[in-house]
Amino acid sequence: MNQHAIQNLTLFDLLARSWRRPSAIADLRFSTDDSIVAFTCMDGTVAIATVADQEPPESRIRVSGDLGQTTIRPREKLPAPLIATAALGDGDIPLASYLRSSFLVGTAAGEAVHLTADGSVMETLVKIDGPIVAIDHSRQPAMTAVSNGQDVFLSRGHGDAVRLRHGAAPSTDALAFSPGGRRLAYGLEDGLSIWIVEGDATLISDISFSARPVSIRWSGDGTWLACGLETGGFALVSVTDGRADIVEGFPSPVRTVCWSLPENALFTSGAFRIAGWSMTAPPLHGDASGALETGRAGLVPVETVAAHPEKKLIAAGYTNGRITIAQIGARDELLVRPLGGEIAALAWSGDGRHLAVGSVDGTAAIVTFPAQMFK
């Protein structure tokens, strides 16, 4: 490779292991122990990648003796191929981390199956009527929640699934356990239902929104819920006192929301920059005093966001394939990739060393950062 070509390489070219799937990436998850990443694809398959890097960036960094300049050489080997399953459903299939290095996958046959690191489909934990369109698993109480798009079911261990709701309002494809698994929230056609699920499942409240939730994320302490809405921005709910409001004014749908534990802050997609608020002044009822101007404003909307688990950093993916990492509350950005396929999903590993990326053009990638990059 000539010197000019090396200079034109992006950070993504130097740090990422990248694969191309035959259909769009829809979602992704790290395993509980961060050893593997599973990418779900729009053709109903799941592709699994090993997180351990055979050419870690530290092994490719060189510091010149005369000038002290740090450079990193490109990778010399192709990454190990992905392990891909057969089609388990029609289109995107729901996925949850399970045990230490496995996943639960919801299938078109109404089964929540155990998917191992080698791509094998093992035992069925839950069986319901109709295809499973949403799934979550809470490790501590060993509970699994699934939805067929009309009802939500709860299963403990390998026990029978119990229907949680018999009302007329259909559930959607969004549900999530709180940290620790004490509560479960799931979407309604135009709202949110919150249950206590330890012991006998008990409804806490149904909250009305102006649109259907497409994503549900609990804060790290389980006191707040943020929901990206199909239209009209996102909803914010205080579980402790029932306060709720919808934050509007986004130029694009809010597909993803995330919480920064180090900063006690909420971030969303849907704007022309990373949108964020400190939870010391939640964005309820028009209060903008907690707004955190993060990253640089542009002409392309943010499609997905992911908060670093340990540092005050946010990764953002854009509709034009751009990937940046910004310091919370500052304009400083690290450009990881300037262009590419639209970013569908981003997630950090638990130690913050790896950023998994999924794109609409079928690109699945793991970006591994040198330990000294984020000080």
Side-chain angles (χ1 to χ4, degrees), residues 6-375:
I6 291 176
Q7 291 175 349
N8 287 336
L9 290 175
T10 68
L11 203 58
F12 188 84
D13 296 326
L14 291 169
L15 300 181
R17 286 162 287 158
S18 184
W19 304 265
R20 182 62 69 90
R21 297 292 297 145
S23 69
I25 305 298
D27 202 0
L28 59 87
R29 291 285 187 282
F30 278 91
S31 60
T32 302
D33 63 1
D34 284 341
S35 64
I36 55 175
V37 180
F39 301 87
T40 63
C41 307
M42 290 304 296
D43 61 4
T45 64
V46 180
I48 297 173
T50 300
V51 172
D53 193 346
Q54 299 307 308
E55 290 186 274
E58 289 81 3
S59 70
R60 297 181 284 117
I61 290 176
R62 177 179 178 271
V63 180
S64 62
D66 49 352
L67 299 176
Q69 184 178 9
T70 300
T71 58
I72 182 169
R73 64 170 174 80
R75 296 178 182 274
E76 296 179 348
K77 303 174 183 178
L78 292 174
L82 297 173
I83 297 172
T85 69
L88 299 171
D90 300 323
D92 177 25
I93 55 175
L95 178 75
S97 300
Y98 179 59
L99 301 179
R100 287 186 54 79
S101 55
S102 300
F103 301 92
L104 287 182
V105 177
T107 71
E111 297 178 335
V113 298
H114 175 193
L115 181 67
T116 63
D118 64 2
S120 299
V121 176
M122 306 298 284
E123 75 272 19
T124 298
L125 269 72
V126 182
K127 179 70 171 73
I128 63 171
D129 293 331
I132 293 178
V133 300
I135 189 170
D136 197 16
H137 179 77
S138 182
R139 184 182 180 189
Q140 293 176 355
M143 286 192 294
T144 303
V146 298
S147 169
N148 60 7
Q150 294 295 320
D151 292 294
V152 172
F153 300 83
L154 186 68
S155 175
R156 303 174 191 275
H158 288 70
D160 293 337
V162 177
R163 181 184 285 108
L164 290 189
R165 187 178 183 90
H166 299 276
S171 62
T172 67
D173 55 358
L175 54 79
F177 283 106
S178 64
R182 185 169 181 264
R183 294 182 175 93
L184 175 71
Y186 61 81
L188 307 174
E189 186 64 27
D190 55 357
L192 186 73
S193 192
I194 306 174
W195 292 66
I196 291 179
V197 291
E198 60 179 359
D200 293 333
T202 305
L203 176 66
I204 301 174
S205 63
D206 284 341
I207 302 168
S208 296
F209 298 152
S210 58
R212 183 176 72 96
V214 295
S215 60
I216 299 172
R217 295 291 182 272
W218 292 84
S219 61
D221 60 5
T223 61
W224 290 92
L225 276 164
C227 305
L229 301 179
E230 191 171 40
T231 58
F234 74 95
L236 185 60
V237 178
S238 171
V239 180
T240 54
D241 59 18
R243 288 181 296 161
D245 196 17
I246 293 176
V247 181
E248 301 176 311
F250 288 80
S252 182
V254 178
R255 287 187 59 251
T256 59
V257 294
C258 69
W259 297 90
S260 169
L261 290 177
E263 189 66 14
N264 184 29
L266 168 67
F267 293 86
T268 79
S269 64
F272 290 116
R273 72 184 310 160
I274 302 168
W277 298 265
S278 170
M279 293 306 290
T280 59
L284 294 171
H285 311 299
D287 184 0
S289 62
L292 297 168
E293 292 191 4
T294 300
R296 299 179 184 274
L299 301 176
V300 179
V302 176
E303 188 68 11
T304 184
V305 288
H308 193 284
E310 298 177 350
K311 301 183 182 299
K312 297 178 180 181
L313 301 171
I314 299 292
Y318 293 75
T319 54
N320 66 351
R322 179 182 176 92
I323 302 171
T324 63
I325 297 173
Q327 184 176 347
I328 293 175
R331 297 185 65 197
D332 296 340
E333 284 186 343
L334 177 69
L335 179 61
V336 177
R337 190 176 78 167
L339 290 170
E342 176 182 324
I343 305 301
L346 291 174
W348 290 96
S349 60
D351 61 4
R353 287 291 312 280
H354 311 276
L355 180 68
V357 179
S359 298
V360 172
D361 66 359
T363 298
I366 302 174
V367 186
T368 299
F369 295 97
Q372 63 268 39
M373 178 164 283
F374 305 128
K375 295 182 180 179

